[in-house]
Structures are given as structure tokens and as C-alpha cells.
Amino acid sequence: MKTSSCLDHPLPPSLSLPPSLSQFYTVLATHTNSKKMNSGASEVAHDFRPLFRVYRDGRVERYKLFDRIQPVPAGLDPSTGVESKDVVVSPKTGVSARIFVPKIDGLDRKLPLLVHYHGGGFCAGSPFDTIVNDILSTMVTRAHVVAISVGYRLAPEYPLPIAYEDSFEALKWIAGHSDGSGPEPWLNRYADLGQVFIQGESAGANISQYVAVQAGAAGLTGVRIKGVLIVHPFFGGTEMDEMYKFMCPTSSRLDDDPRLNPAVDPDLPKMACEKVLVCVAEKDSLRNTGVKYYETLCGSEWEGKVELEEAKDEGHCFHAFSKNERAEQLIKKMVDFITKD
């Protein structure tokens, strides 16, 4: 892997744009064995393979991406000592989350808190599946932090920007525990809200950057965000993405949307964190927009420190599916970002 500073990593001479979200996940899902569904094609209004299709009566049907992604119940993992529990963030919206706590022998101080937003193209994924549980169990154990993964509501049933709004509301809910009397005992007891990190992969990285900017723009109190981990992020380009446009009818899905192009966000300099780690993968079709985001931060008026980490010969979110040497290097880099100043 290579770690770059603002000065030594220029953009490639020809900056290729990412594919649409649906095209991107078609490539990502090459190992899926999903079967065709039985409804007549004439009833389908929109088909965004391999993620979902929408029938004329409004029903949404999701395709199965990977057989290995399964729901995981909360509880004690005897192999790691990590304990997890599920909590309701908002009874009104039904947004929930999973909290992970490492094995603790005689707690004499609270632990940093890692706030996590999962990937999945804004329309798939969950804090309660094998992918998130594997990633966060590793991060919790190695970085010795408490983690909470937010189950924001998914498009298209809940059109964007609802996922963004849910995610920021969850951070505000977390901030409500700053005096130790919030509604969730584990956060009151174990989490140091003066040491908060935010992490997201893919669409979750996009949400993470949005949440950090909103926290600064709103002057959110109760949490001190020390760092943000932007892992293989999805950002927009100059070409229309029909699936994103369907999920977010209010967006142009072009580079004038600040959620997809942070460079046009007037609040970017207010991003409420001290440092950012941007992780990209050489063979990821989203790699160049991740580098562009890194360059945007370098050239902005935001006063924090930004770092770029590139994994050679790897694709999108490879560390979630592979346990090779480069995955180990990426995890170590992420852990070091949290544990070292």
C-alpha cells in the first residue's frame, strides 16, 4: 500500500468517471448466483439489476447479491470476546443500530467511539449482517474502541435524502449521551464522546462525509469528532445515473449536488473533524472520484489533515471479502488512524 500527502499524489492525466451505481454493482456482484424472479416483465416499471426492481404497483423486489452475506444475531462472540446489542435510535422512524463493545477487563476509563455507516448503494446493507459484524468486530478488538453501526432507512422505499437525514439524526442521538444520562446505558458507561471517529464504506463513506460536514455546519455539541475514515467512497460525476436519480428524485445526480460533489458544498470548510483518511483501491472503478475527493480536501479551506491510502491490485471493498495481506495492511492503517495522533 501507498500513503500519500497532498503534494505527491496528483490525479491521473485522464480522470475516468465512475459507472452508474447499477453498473458498478453489476461488476461487484459477479459471484452472485441470484435467480430470475417470476413476475412478468410487463409488470416491471424499473429494473436496476443487480440491486432491485420496482413494479408498476410500487412493490420493490431486491436481488440477492452475495450468498455469504447473512444476518447475524447480537450477543457475545466467544472467538473475540466482543459483545453486541441492538438499540432503537428513533421510535418515530424505526431507525435502529448495533453497538459493539470489546472484551473489557476492569474498565478504568471510557473508550473512543467509532460511528459506522454501512455501504450498499443506499438501497442495501445492514448493521446486522456478516459484513458489518466482521469489520467492526475487528476494529473494536484491535483499536480498543466502542462501535455503533447505524441502520439508516434504505431507498427506494425511503427516498434519499432520508438516509442522510437518519444518519445525522443518529449522531445527534449519540451526542445526547454526553453527560452520561442518555437513553442507552452502554453509551453512557463505555463511550468517550470526546473521542469520536466516523467510518463508512462506499455509500456509507459518502454518508460519513456528509454527516461530518453537517455536524460542523450545525455546530453540533456533545461529541468531538477526531477523525473520519472514508473507505472506497461513492461520489458523483458529470453523467446522469438513472438509479441514483430514481432513489433521490430531488437530486440532479450531477456535479452540482454537494452530496455527490463535496467541492461545491459551501459548508465543506466547516467539516467537524481534525483529520480524514481517504482509502481507495487501484482496481476499484470508484477509485478516481475517491482521489478527487482527497484532492478537494487538500485544496479547500478546511483546516484539518487529510491522508490518502491506496491498495494496489485490489477492487472495491476487497477487505470485506478477502483476508489477504493487503486487507490486513488496510485494516492496520485504519486502526492506526484511530489509535495514533
Side-chain angles (χ1 to χ4, degrees):
M1 288 194 177
K2 179 182 178 183
T3 300
S4 303
S5 70
C6 290
L7 298 178
D8 67 5
H9 201 107
L11 283 172
S14 176
L15 180 65
S16 62
L17 296 172
S20 68
L21 273 174
S22 55
Q23 290 172 327
F24 167 67
Y25 276 97
T26 298
V27 174
L28 185 62
T30 52
H31 299 294
T32 185
N33 61 358
S34 298
K35 298 179 180 179
K36 286 187 176 180
M37 300 178 186
N38 295 323
S39 300
S42 62
E43 298 178 15
V44 176
H46 304 278
D47 195 341
F48 297 111
R49 292 174 183 267
L51 290 169
F52 66 90
R53 60 182 177 182
V54 183
Y55 291 92
R56 297 192 187 280
D57 64 3
R59 287 180 297 120
V60 175
E61 197 167 42
R62 283 178 168 78
Y63 296 99
K64 184 174 178 60
L65 278 174
F66 303 101
D67 287 335
R68 66 151 291 188
I69 301 178
Q70 300 292 336
V72 177
L76 177 65
D77 180 349
S79 66
T80 63
V82 173
E83 191 166 3
S84 61
K85 69 182 292 191
D86 298 333
V87 297
V88 175
V89 173
S90 171
K92 180 179 179 181
T93 64
V95 170
S96 57
R98 177 164 291 181
I99 302 176
F100 299 79
V101 175
K103 183 178 181 180
I104 298 173
D105 296 319
L107 183 68
D108 58 356
R109 61 181 177 82
K110 293 185 176 182
L111 304 177
L113 178 67
L114 178 63
V115 181
H116 176 263
Y117 299 103
H118 65 80
F122 305 98
C123 61
S126 164
F128 317 114
D129 66 25
T130 47
I131 294 295
V132 169
N133 275 256
D134 288 351
I135 290 174
L136 290 189
S137 290
T138 299
M139 295 298 294
V140 161
T141 300
R142 298 192 186 183
H144 204 56
V145 297
V146 175
I148 179 169
S149 184
V150 177
Y152 54 84
R153 288 173 289 176
L154 301 177
E157 294 92 336
Y158 298 95
L160 297 171
I162 287 176
Y164 295 100
E165 295 165 354
D166 286 349
S167 298
F168 185 44
E169 288 299 317
L171 184 63
K172 291 195 286 186
W173 177 82
I174 292 168
H177 295 76
S178 61
D179 63 356
S181 60
E184 173 44 50
W186 277 19
L187 293 180
N188 291 330
R189 181 178 179 185
Y190 299 121
D192 179 359
L193 300 190
Q195 299 186 75
V196 173
F197 293 84
I198 297 177
Q199 174 185 326
E201 302 85 28
S202 194
N206 179 292
I207 291 173
S208 296
Q209 115 81 31
Y210 170 85
V211 167
V213 171
Q214 292 302 304
L220 181 65
T221 60
V223 292
R224 178 190 174 194
I225 304 172
K226 297 194 67 176
V228 179
L229 297 91
I230 303 293
V231 183
H232 303 170
F234 167 78
F235 290 111
T238 57
E239 296 180 351
M240 178 64 69
D241 181 331
E242 292 301 326
M243 190 180 98
Y244 189 90
K245 179 65 175 176
F246 180 79
M247 294 191 298
C248 188
T250 60
S251 173
S252 68
R253 203 308 184 183
L254 297 173
D255 57 8
D256 61 351
D257 184 337
R259 288 187 292 263
L260 297 180
N261 180 20
V264 300
D265 189 346
D267 289 328
L268 182 62
K270 301 176 184 177
M271 186 160 60
C273 62
E274 301 168 17
K275 59 181 182 176
V276 172
L277 174 65
V278 181
C279 301
V280 298
E282 183 182 28
K283 294 184 177 180
D284 184 358
S285 59
L286 303 183
R287 179 257 182 202
N288 286 345
T289 51
V291 175
K292 182 180 178 182
Y293 172 69
Y294 161 79
E295 295 286 352
T296 294
L297 283 183
C298 286
S300 74
E301 296 179 1
W302 174 66
E303 297 179 351
K305 176 184 177 182
V306 59
E307 190 175 358
L308 180 69
E309 179 82 355
E310 179 166 11
K312 298 298 184 183
D313 299 318
E314 295 290 357
H316 189 72
C317 291
F318 69 95
H319 61 297
F321 301 95
S322 303
K323 303 299 181 185
N324 59 22
E325 181 180 353
R326 284 184 288 268
E328 176 62 28
Q329 290 172 347
L330 176 57
I331 294 296
K332 183 178 185 304
K333 181 66 181 181
M334 294 163 62
V335 169
D336 287 348
F337 178 79
I338 293 173
T339 59
K340 297 180 180 180
D341 292 330

